Amino acid sequence: MRFRCAILDDFQNVASTYADWSTLGDRVEVVSFTEHFATEDELAAALADFDFVVTLRERVPFPASLLSRLSRLKLLIASGMRNSVIDYAAAQAAGVTVCGTQSSSTPPLELTWALLLGLARGIVQENNALRDGGPWQSTVGADLDDRALGLLGLGKIGSRVAQVGLAFGMKVTAWSQNLTEERADEVGVGLASSKEELLANSDFVSVHLALGDRTRGLIGAPELALLKPTAYLINTSRAAIVDQDALLAALHEGRIAGAGVDVFDVEPLPDDHPMRTAPRLLATPHLGYVSHANYERYYGQAVEDIQAYLDGTPIRVLG
């Protein structure tokens, strides 16, 4: 029997180049989709004839309503080892095995600093002016040395962001609901007594929390109001942690100096989404995980997952 495998959201059309799919031989036909399916109906129609599906990160939800429509689906592979938009119970009930891949924290760490530095030094504005014959110097950069960097979350990524901040000579503090003084001391940063204290005293705030019931909407209008008018907010974590409407209002009203955002409430962003035109916003299309090394890891291990499933011994099983 020949199986069919769909690769979703292969926007750059590169999935075939980051792994050796030929190792699967003639047993699996691989098809990449370079366009995002915006609705469940579109997705169900596109995947109706596929046995395996490879999906990137948490962009495409697989709820029970969709899984029940995919009668041929046997194996669902998600990049990363945690995925909040797959209904694991429904997958199990439908006889669908869900597997993951490893994922590196380095790409989102690096993008965090790309956004922070881009904002601090007005990189995009100055580059556009230089290219378009605009003014020679129109911004005054924000310094990092001796400035306060506040981190919401001090896990795998947050702790590495902290180390870079310390290397820049920044005063780094962190806060999360479960963060202990021992953990903060281990990383070499200060522990804020509260979320409110961290927000009020930071020149740069960067979000590095997992999305859950306690973190959804953690930063809303009251919290944004605590930020200094000269402060910057960076979010490369999950969009739902920061109230998108409240952030847009703060940017339009000039109540904060700027924001760097890589995650959005809807992805890909519709052409008319207000985030595309918001002032004081440096935004990227969810590039946090998009790097050569991560793609080699994602797609290479997706091939391994498929091979293991075909051999009857699934690996990296989730749920």
Side-chain angles (χ1 to χ4, degrees), residues 63 115 157 166 178 213 218 240 245 257 294:
L115 289 171
I157 298 175
L166 292 170
N178 297 325
D213 292 338
L218 186 73
D245 291 336
N294 249 2

Side-chain angles (χ1 to χ4, degrees), residues 187-251:
V187 178
V189 305
L191 175 64
S193 62
S194 66
K195 171 182 65 177
E196 290 75 16
E197 178 194 324
L198 181 138
L199 294 171
N201 294 331
S202 297
D203 298 297
F204 299 86
V205 174
S206 193
V207 181
H208 302 288
L209 295 165
L211 179 61
D213 292 338
R214 293 196 304 170
T215 58
R216 189 179 301 275
L218 186 73
I219 306 299
E223 288 78 19
L224 290 170
L226 296 173
L227 291 171
K228 305 173 186 178
T230 55
Y232 297 89
L233 175 70
I234 314 296
N235 186 9
T236 58
S237 183
R238 292 293 182 269
I241 296 173
V242 179
D243 185 309
Q244 302 291 281
D245 291 336
L247 177 58
L248 282 167
L251 292 170

